Amino acid sequence: MRPFDYVRTTTLDETCQLLGQDGDSSVRALAGGTDLLTLMKKEISVPTQLIDLKRLPDLPSGITSTAQGMTIGTLTTMTEIETNVQLQEKYPLLAEAAAVAATPQLRNMATIGGNLLQRPRCWYYRNQLVNCWLKGGDECQAQDGENQLHALFGGGPCYAVHPSDLAPALLALEATVQLRGPGGERMVPLAEFYALPEEKRRQETQLEKDELLLNIHLPGLPAGTRSTYLKAMDRKVWAFALVGVAAIVRLEEQKIVDARLVLSGVAPIPWRVTAAEQALVGATANEATFAEIAEFALADAQSLSHNAYKITLAKSLVRRALTMLTDEG
Ligand SMILES: Cc1cc2nc3c(=O)[nH]c(=O)nc-3n(C[C@H](O)[C@H](O)[C@H](O)COP(=O)(O)OP(=O)(O)OC[C@H]3O[C@@H](n4cnc5c(N)ncnc54)[C@H](O)[C@@H]3O)c2cc1C
Ligand code: SF4
């Protein structure tokens, strides 16, 4: 790991100014460090200064109820999200997503802010000897290479999948992120915060270099809404999603009146399948409907040479999630 200076700041303004400073030094924000330090050890990220966010007094932490729903401060750990009783009751899919992410030790350290901003696990990206497109190079080695874990949707120029389990759950909840930069604060729907990497912005979010994530705001859900997060892994614990689904459904007399479906592990950003959601609304909840919706949700998937298995996996997760959420037993 390259040497770096450890910096403590006392205000949000001072932190944003430091993060945005020009020149040779690259300043990065450190939360739990479970992703950033891994990247630094491999010299994929080489900051000269690290600002310790956990010591920054005004940076929000904790889970609070609001008139609209609930707010989660960026420094809230994944363990806190997994074990919070109100979240478990009101937004079970979020607590479930936290519970199946990483390991207990990591969840104790990792913050929700860091989880939403973690970088891809693509093995070419994580290999310090490969300068792939996302790291500023000219080509994506995964496109015609070892792409077993890569994208079915939204691929090109980058085919990595977004690694977070919390992001798809929050996108299904239509969460909004509160950001702070030198010019003040802005509220951005998570649906806009995540954006496919492009030539001029080789990252998965709209976060500016000098901005901090402060809070995640969750709107309320109508009574009777059910939700779940299901994740397929190549081993039982401590694995990123091969494919996941965050599903929210509201049922009235066996008719679906509201539905949201977000897939994880299939695109560089969490992938909402809006057309499938629309097709669900007004449909009768039964196995035939769910099989049809699962086909519909994956209809536009474009597999690479080694990842077609994800299509079958995703269809079966969608069917399973919808069956679980509408099961009257
Ligand atoms: C072995 C292993 C298995 C894992 N498995 C899973 C899994 O199954 N599912 C899953 O979802 N995740 C998984 N993870 C990822 C893990 O959840 C993330 O590493 C963690 O959530 C990152 O949070 P952190 O607080 O440690 O962030 P850090 O590593 O400190 O930061 C990550 C990034 O976020 C930025 N950042 C953090 N907070 C802010 C803020 N408030 N404002 C601006 N920028 C900020 C940092 O600058 C950095 O770029 C795994 C990680 C490991 C190492
Ligand atoms: S998928 Fe993205 S991160 Fe992986 S090699 Fe291609 S450009 Fe790099």
Side-chain angles (χ1 to χ4, degrees), residues 90-91 93-94 168-175 218-219 221 248 260:
K90 291 186 180 170
Y91 309 102
L93 82 169
L94 187 58
L170 290 169
L171 184 59
L173 290 169
E174 298 183 342
L218 307 178
L221 290 172
I248 301 181
R260 300 183 209 161

Side-chain angles (χ1 to χ4, degrees), residues 230-257:
L230 299 183
K231 172 178 178 181
M233 298 182 273
D234 56 7
R235 53 177 184 255
K236 274 192 175 165
V237 286
W238 194 359
F240 290 89
L242 294 172
V243 174
V245 60
I248 301 181
V249 165
R250 190 157 57 87
L251 207 60
E252 278 175 13
E253 293 169 3
Q254 281 311 106
K255 285 260 187 261
I256 293 164
V257 291

Side-chain angles (χ1 to χ4, degrees), residues 153-278:
F153 297 96
C158 176
Y159 291 84
V161 297
H162 199 275
S164 168
D165 287 308
L166 300 191
L170 290 169
L171 184 59
L173 290 169
E174 298 183 342
T176 299
V177 288
Q178 184 182 352
L179 309 177
R180 164 113 176 202
E185 291 187 6
R186 60 182 181 129
M187 302 285 275
V188 184
L190 204 64
E192 291 167 23
F193 183 66
Y194 284 114
L196 291 170
E198 56 188 26
E199 189 58 38
K200 287 190 184 146
R201 183 186 40 76
R202 296 190 188 198
Q203 63 178 35
E204 308 76 42
T205 70
Q206 301 278 9
L207 188 80
E208 299 289 345
K209 182 178 181 307
D210 56 5
E211 279 186 311
L212 285 169
L213 172 55
L214 298 186
N215 284 302
I216 297 115
H217 298 286
L218 307 178
L221 290 172
T225 304
R226 296 181 187 178
S227 69
T228 192
Y229 179 73
L230 299 183
K231 172 178 178 181
M233 298 182 273
D234 56 7
R235 53 177 184 255
K236 274 192 175 165
V237 286
W238 194 359
F240 290 89
L242 294 172
V243 174
V245 60
I248 301 181
V249 165
R250 190 157 57 87
L251 207 60
E252 278 175 13
E253 293 169 3
Q254 281 311 106
K255 285 260 187 261
I256 293 164
V257 291
D258 192 12
R260 300 183 209 161
L261 286 175
V262 179
L263 302 176
S264 59
V266 300
I269 55 178
W271 200 255
R272 189 164 178 178
V273 281
T274 318
E277 294 175 355
Q278 286 164 354

Side-chain angles (χ1 to χ4, degrees), residues 120 122-125 132-135 139-143 150 157-160:
C122 168
W123 33 52
Y124 297 107
Y125 181 82
C132 78
W133 179 85
L134 195 62
K135 291 191 280 188
E139 60 172 322
C140 167
Q141 283 74 8
Q143 186 175 3
H150 289 73
C158 176
Y159 291 84

